[in-house]
Amino acid sequence: MRVQGKQNIWKEYQKEIADDKYFYVRSCVRQNFFPGSEVTFLRILREVLGKNIFEHPCHTTCTGIGYHGDIVPFDTLMTIVARQFSLMTESGFENFVPSCITSFGIYTEVLDTWEHFPEAEEKVRNYLKKATGREFKIPGNLAHASDIIYKFRKEIAAKSKFKLINRNTGMPLKVVEHIGCHYAKMFPDKGVGGAEYPYVLTGMVEEWGGEVIDYPERRHCCGFGFRQYLVQANRGYSLACSYKKFESMAPYKPDIIITNCPGCPMFLDRWQYVINEMEGKKYGENGQGIPVFTYEEVAGLVLGYNPWDIGLQMHQISCEPVLDKIGIPYDIESKYKV
Amino acid sequence: MINFGYTLPSDRQIVYDKNNRETATFLRSKEPTFNSCIQCGTCTATCSAACFTDFNFRKLLLLVNRGETFEIIQELQKCMLCGKCLLVCPRNVNTRNILLNLRLYYAF
Amino acid sequence: MKSSKKVVTIGGGIAGMEASSFLAAMGYDVTLLEKAGELGGHLAKWEKLFPTMRLGKEVLNFLSQGIYENVKVLCNAFIERIDRELDDFRIYLADGKVLEANAILVTTGYDLFDARKKEEYGYGIYDNVITSADLEEFFSSGKEIRTASGKTPASVGFVHCVGSRDQKIGNVYCSKVCCVTAVKQSIELKEKLSDVKIFCFYMDMRMYGMHFEALYKEAQEKWGVQFIRGRVSEACENSDGSILVKVEDTLAGRPMRLTVDMLVLMVGFVPSEGTKKIGNMLNLEFGPNRFFKTRDQHVLTNVSNVKGVFFAGACTAPKEITHAITDARAAASTIASYLEQNSVEKRTI
């Protein structure tokens, strides 16, 4: 493998990421899945990077989950997206930062639609005006929250207390990076590093001391898929996708998996338990699973945050072996204390 | 085992690395034109059996070549050995000899 | 019969050499400009040629025999500017030379598609993904065929249509030579490594030339090369450096994955940098595929939109050697009829 080859591709896919004054929109599901992640993101931006980041209490779901579940029509979705933009406009911001990858995909898709079909934008402006009396401006900059952390990965590294290094061996942790499908597969030039060799998480991992492994099923979907997961009888189909990925990454003995999507860490984490129940297989060391983290959690760990403050107790796969490996102290007694 | 209300479906991919290609090797040794097939489908278009069953000689050759031979025995029974496929093949694949050898290989 | 009329040929590949030879034989004063240090273009890099397995250097030697004293060859020639004076041209070279021409023949040819643009195949990233030109380099140099880690490959895959028939990278045309080159190279690999398993992943086998189909059949029947109809969607690297290929076996109607020790990308033709440069200098028209646009697709295939400027070879479309040679001879007679104002010049369509 020649990293130089990847670097050449990474150079081709650099996107503009605003450096301050963010309008942050949360994910609908992340606060249930891994509730510490978004809190950690806000904390890092405000406390470590000193940025102005604003959340609006009237923000709702982007309805992407309903759109992909075939229950929300595209016109409705566009109008709701327009309403989120109006909240941003009213609040005096222009840099729009979604927490969710599917939302990011939705916003990108809607903006691209409006660019190619201005009449669709006009129609939606009209709908929004009639329904709510609101108006909006197109965001000056649209970046996923992981793009922001990517942009400031060096600043975070400079203030880090820990590195993604195995303190027993001195070797970098082997990291599987898993990018949410809607980050760049639909619009490769909207993702840092493109779609085939995305750099957004790799950049963080490398900067914080880890080593990314490139395994054959790296590009495969985690299996979330929306309607596939939502119908119980189809859920095995979701499971099979994750299973395929684990089988493919196992020979590389990854220490952790890092993700930037709401669904992926949930599924890659919980399915390891289900696969163990169904197939009797575990993919980590010493009869454990492979811990799956969000990039905010990893950033929080690197910055020395208390693992229970960033929500690692919410994971199915225990994080303690990895914390031990890095040398991050934790109080096991307080893991589940409220 | 816990019943989760769903199962882990198997992969539909042809996993060539793991397939057993002994049948193909055997056929090639008996009938070299086995490899000359270009999958044009003339054999299946003219096939007496294909009109009434799902027998597909083109696909049979392909799957043998890929080592996907799990259901081959049922397939072989459908051929009426009428010889029309031999007549039409543009690559002169000896379809009859291939089928007879397949029957021999699977011993019936 | 010596003529005082001057022709300058730009590009010393197959077409440029052959057209210059014929024009010189007709008595014209011909100068052949080549940007590289020697003549031969891409041909010099190919060891054996389809479909006969003749050595490329035999053809090159044949072409060179035509370049006798009436053809002035200028290698390492870099054109800075071309001026037009009525129907004639003045060509300024970087070394200060100025050439006059009554007609210009553009034979600027093609470049091979840059396989790195098909990111999903990992050329330039995965060590065991190479191009057809890289494989030919193994053959030409006589080096043993080895993977990056020095192992004799047990299996090799050939991916057809890399950079051809692909709207995603902006090349919708067929490059014509890649299918048969894959067949040729498969056979050569089998000759060198008898145990190697070979897979060709194709969309259509475009065996249009005389003897191409026979070569394809030989590859199947004699050498056991496996042809799998389906376009490779991605190549990934396994932990041992081998390459995992994902493809649909479209004839089985199922996705497929298989491992090869080496993956060869059959890179297609793109208009050369020289074609772009000379085209812009002379205000030549480009077609929708960015090759030069000929005045007519059927009958004026050597004629450009600029009076006195003609084309031959792969600068107008991908061509195999045989076609490039016949095209060059056609260009020579077209130029002669232009310079002599023969009655055939006056036909219209």
Side-chain angles (χ1 to χ4, degrees):
Chain A
M1 181 112 45
R2 277 165 278 171
V3 179
Q4 178 68 43
K6 288 189 181 177
Q7 285 166 346
N8 288 337
I9 292 178
W10 293 335
K11 267 185 234 152
E12 301 262 313
Y13 296 96
Q14 286 299 323
K15 68 185 245 186
E16 202 184 317
I17 304 166
D19 64 358
D20 202 353
K21 296 180 187 149
Y22 306 114
F23 185 83
Y24 186 52
V25 290
R26 293 201 184 216
S27 147
C28 6
V29 294
R30 293 189 83 201
Q31 289 154 80
N32 299 317
F33 289 178
F34 298 111
S37 290
E38 292 181 340
V39 176
T40 306
F41 177 75
L42 291 170
R43 186 173 160 196
I44 293 172
L45 258 79
R46 287 178 181 143
E47 293 175 15
V48 179
L49 302 170
K51 301 293 173 189
N52 177 5
I53 182 160
F54 179 75
E55 286 187 272
H56 200 293
C58 297
H59 167 252
T60 66
T61 171
C62 73
T63 67
I65 203 160
Y67 172 55
H68 290 122
D70 302 338
I71 51 170
V72 174
F74 191 52
D75 277 13
T76 310
L77 172 109
M78 286 196 290
T79 313
I80 289 168
V81 162
R83 183 180 166 278
Q84 319 291 16
F85 290 159
S86 76
L87 296 177
M88 174 196 77
T89 309
E90 286 164 17
S91 312
F93 285 82
E94 56 180 33
N95 302 324
F96 200 84
V97 181
S99 160
C100 167
I101 284 288
T102 284
S103 288
F104 175 71
I106 292 289
Y107 292 120
T108 309
E109 189 175 350
V110 169
L111 290 175
D112 194 73
T113 304
W114 291 350
E115 196 184 318
H116 290 94
F117 304 95
E119 66 278 13
E121 181 184 336
E122 274 318 301
K123 186 174 68 178
V124 167
R125 283 188 183 276
N126 196 23
Y127 288 164
L128 185 71
K129 184 84 183 170
K130 276 187 187 159
T132 66
R134 290 173 185 274
E135 290 176 352
F136 67 95
K137 283 188 194 149
I138 301 279
N141 184 264
L142 173 67
H144 183 252
S146 62
D147 294 332
I148 310 286
I149 295 290
Y150 164 80
K151 186 179 174 79
F152 297 112
R153 66 198 186 282
K154 291 191 164 77
E155 286 79 349
I156 291 170
K159 292 180 180 172
S160 69
K161 299 207 164 52
F162 300 100
K163 288 204 175 307
L164 300 178
I165 288 174
N166 184 328
R167 69 162 173 182
N168 300 318
T169 62
M171 299 296 285
L173 291 191
K174 281 186 276 182
V175 183
V176 159
E177 48 92 42
H178 178 81
I179 306 288
C181 292
H182 296 159
Y183 177 67
K185 281 178 184 162
M186 298 182 294
F187 299 94
D189 59 336
K190 300 288 190 248
V192 175
E196 296 291 345
Y197 307 92
Y199 189 58
V200 61
L201 295 180
T202 299
M204 295 179 205
V205 171
E206 287 178 350
E207 199 62 45
W208 302 338
E211 178 191 314
V212 169
I213 56 178
D214 187 348
Y215 63 108
E217 295 295 352
R218 176 172 56 78
R219 295 146 167 143
H220 200 91
C221 172
C222 74
F224 180 14
F226 302 93
R227 66 150 53 231
Q228 291 71 24
Y229 174 74
L230 297 170
V231 179
Q232 187 189 27
N234 294 343
R235 221 163 272 172
Y237 173 22
S238 284
L239 178 67
C241 289
S242 291
Y243 179 71
K244 195 179 186 69
K245 290 185 74 74
F246 289 126
E247 288 289 312
S248 175
M249 72 175 77
Y252 297 80
K253 299 188 175 13
D255 294 299
I256 54 169
I257 299 170
I258 174 171
T259 60
N260 70 344
C261 180
C264 313
M266 178 69 175
F267 285 84
L268 294 173
D269 184 51
R270 305 296 199 263
W271 283 147
Q272 290 192 63
Y273 159 71
V274 175
I275 290 169
N276 185 36
E277 286 291 341
M278 282 188 175
E279 302 284 309
K281 278 189 173 169
K282 290 179 184 170
Y283 295 99
E285 289 175 314
N286 307 320
Q288 302 274 335
I290 308 167
V292 187
F293 296 145
T294 68
Y295 63 95
E296 296 105 322
E297 289 168 344
V298 175
L301 284 179
V302 161
L303 287 166
Y305 292 0
N306 181 339
W308 316 140
D309 287 349
I310 62 178
L312 296 192
Q313 66 276 44
M314 302 301 287
H315 292 242
Q316 187 89 36
I317 307 295
S318 308
C319 61
E320 287 89 336
V322 162
L323 300 182
D324 292 337
K325 237 181 236 177
I326 304 174
I328 297 173
Y330 55 91
D331 174 17
I332 195 72
E333 296 297 318
S334 60
K335 183 168 179 181
Y336 295 109
K337 273 193 188 144
V338 183
Chain B
M1 192 186 118
I2 300 170
N3 181 2
F4 291 99
Y6 49 87
T7 54
L8 179 63
S10 56
D11 204 321
R12 278 190 77 247
Q13 273 182 322
I14 297 173
V15 185
Y16 192 89
D17 301 343
K18 290 190 180 156
N19 278 359
N20 181 339
R21 292 191 66 256
E22 277 173 17
T23 315
T25 311
F26 166 79
L27 271 186
R28 202 177 162 217
S29 71
K30 294 288 179 189
E31 183 46 64
T33 62
F34 165 66
N35 268 29
S36 308
C37 174
I38 50 169
Q39 294 282 309
C40 66
T42 323
C43 50
T44 305
T46 197
C47 178
S48 302
C51 293
F52 302 103
T53 71
D54 57 2
F55 184 60
N56 184 325
F57 191 79
R58 172 193 69 77
K59 208 162 176 178
L60 180 77
L61 274 199
L62 182 82
L63 294 177
V64 167
N65 217 336
R66 303 287 183 262
E68 295 274 317
T69 48
F70 320 109
E71 289 161 10
I72 201 166
I73 292 177
Q74 298 90 294
E75 288 304 303
L76 296 179
Q77 288 165 346
K78 293 172 190 162
C79 171
M80 297 169 176
L81 284 167
C82 70
K84 278 166 85 182
C85 48
L86 190 64
L87 199 66
V88 295
C89 178
R91 276 287 182 109
N92 264 341
V93 175
N94 192 335
T95 50
R96 185 177 175 80
N97 196 29
I98 286 171
L99 205 110
L100 289 172
N101 268 293
L102 274 174
R103 288 188 173 185
L104 203 68
Y105 189 73
Y106 289 99
F108 69 90
Chain C
M1 186 189 76
K2 279 271 182 194
S3 164
S4 59
K5 299 216 167 99
K6 296 187 174 72
V7 180
V8 170
T9 306
I10 303 173
I14 295 170
M17 290 173 80
E18 186 66 357
S20 298
S21 299
F22 270 73
L23 286 163
M26 292 171 192
Y28 296 109
D29 178 346
V30 182
T31 307
L32 174 55
L33 302 180
E34 168 54 46
K35 68 173 169 14
E38 52 192 27
L39 299 180
H42 291 273
L43 176 57
K45 296 186 183 124
W46 292 78
E47 194 213 7
K48 287 184 188 169
L49 308 178
F50 62 76
T52 58
M53 300 291 185
R54 154 178 285 129
L55 294 176
K57 64 183 174 195
E58 289 175 22
V59 172
L60 190 53
N61 180 37
F62 173 87
L63 296 176
S64 305
Q65 290 169 42
I67 309 289
Y68 63 111
E69 71 261 33
N70 276 14
V71 180
K72 292 175 216 136
V73 177
L74 295 180
C75 285
N76 301 310
F78 184 85
I79 298 174
E80 285 199 323
R81 195 172 98 232
I82 303 176
D83 286 351
R84 198 187 171 98
E85 288 162 22
L86 297 174
D87 283 347
D88 301 325
F89 302 91
R90 228 175 239 277
I91 298 162
Y92 296 85
L93 301 183
D95 63 4
K97 280 199 192 77
V98 182
L99 304 171
E100 294 189 347
N102 305 104
I104 290 178
L105 175 61
V106 180
T107 51
T108 43
Y110 68 95
D111 286 342
L112 286 171
F113 173 73
D114 178 0
R116 288 174 301 183
K117 288 186 181 161
K118 284 301 285 178
E119 294 168 12
E120 59 270 42
Y121 296 157
Y123 182 69
I125 295 174
Y126 303 136
D127 295 321
N128 290 312
V129 177
I130 64 173
T131 65
S132 41
D134 298 335
L135 181 61
E136 196 65 28
E137 165 64 21
F138 270 110
F139 296 151
S140 306
S141 65
K143 275 190 294 190
E144 298 284 324
I145 316 287
R146 294 285 183 267
T147 64
S149 60
K151 185 183 133 198
T152 303
S155 53
V156 176
F158 286 85
V159 184
H160 291 220
C161 298
V162 176
S164 307
R165 303 177 68 196
D166 185 350
Q167 213 164 338
K168 271 275 155 57
I169 46 94
N171 299 342
V172 295
Y173 51 87
C174 166
S175 290
K176 291 179 79 178
V177 302
C178 331
C179 280
V180 63
T181 300
V183 171
K184 178 204 85 127
Q185 292 189 326
S186 298
I187 291 174
E188 288 178 279
L189 265 183
K190 285 297 288 186
E191 284 171 342
K192 289 175 205 296
L193 310 168
S194 60
D195 292 333
V196 70
K197 290 193 182 75
I198 296 186
F199 305 92
C200 285
F201 305 102
Y202 69 97
M203 298 202 288
D204 302 294
M205 289 299 288
R206 299 200 159 179
M207 298 287 113
Y208 61 94
M210 189 57 85
H211 313 303
F212 290 9
E213 185 74 14
L215 198 70
Y216 171 29
K217 195 169 183 225
E218 181 189 326
Q220 288 179 298
E221 209 166 293
K222 182 172 173 192
W223 301 102
V225 175
Q226 294 273 351
F227 289 85
I228 296 171
R229 196 186 81 179
R231 192 181 183 106
V232 171
S233 69
E234 62 182 78
C236 321
E237 194 181 71
N238 289 310
S239 53
D240 64 355
S242 61
I243 302 296
L244 183 80
V245 173
K246 291 189 193 170
V247 64
E248 184 195 353
D249 185 338
T250 57
L251 295 162
R254 277 167 60 195
M256 182 177 189
R257 69 165 188 263
L258 81 171
T259 303
V260 290
D261 288 333
M262 204 181 246
L263 190 67
V264 184
L265 308 180
M266 304 309 299
V267 283
F269 284 24
V270 293
S272 71
E273 284 303 318
T275 293
K276 282 181 220 164
K277 179 184 144 185
I278 301 300
N280 290 331
M281 269 183 190
L282 285 167
N283 289 321
L284 298 172
E285 259 188 86
F286 294 96
N289 292 324
R290 310 178 316 281
F291 290 89
F292 286 130
K293 186 178 178 187
T294 59
R295 275 280 295 283
D296 184 86
Q297 293 213 18
H298 294 111
V299 298
L300 298 171
T301 48
N302 300 105
V303 184
S304 80
N305 59 309
V306 175
K307 192 179 179 194
V309 179
F310 298 86
F311 301 131
C315 62
T316 56
K319 291 182 181 68
E320 81 287 4
I321 292 169
T322 314
H323 193 176
I325 289 175
T326 51
D327 196 45
R329 293 172 187 162
S333 63
T334 305
I335 291 172
S337 60
Y338 164 75
L339 292 173
E340 305 309 325
Q341 285 300 298
N342 286 344
S343 58
V344 288
E345 264 298 291
K346 297 178 179 69
R347 293 180 297 172
T348 54
I349 188 162

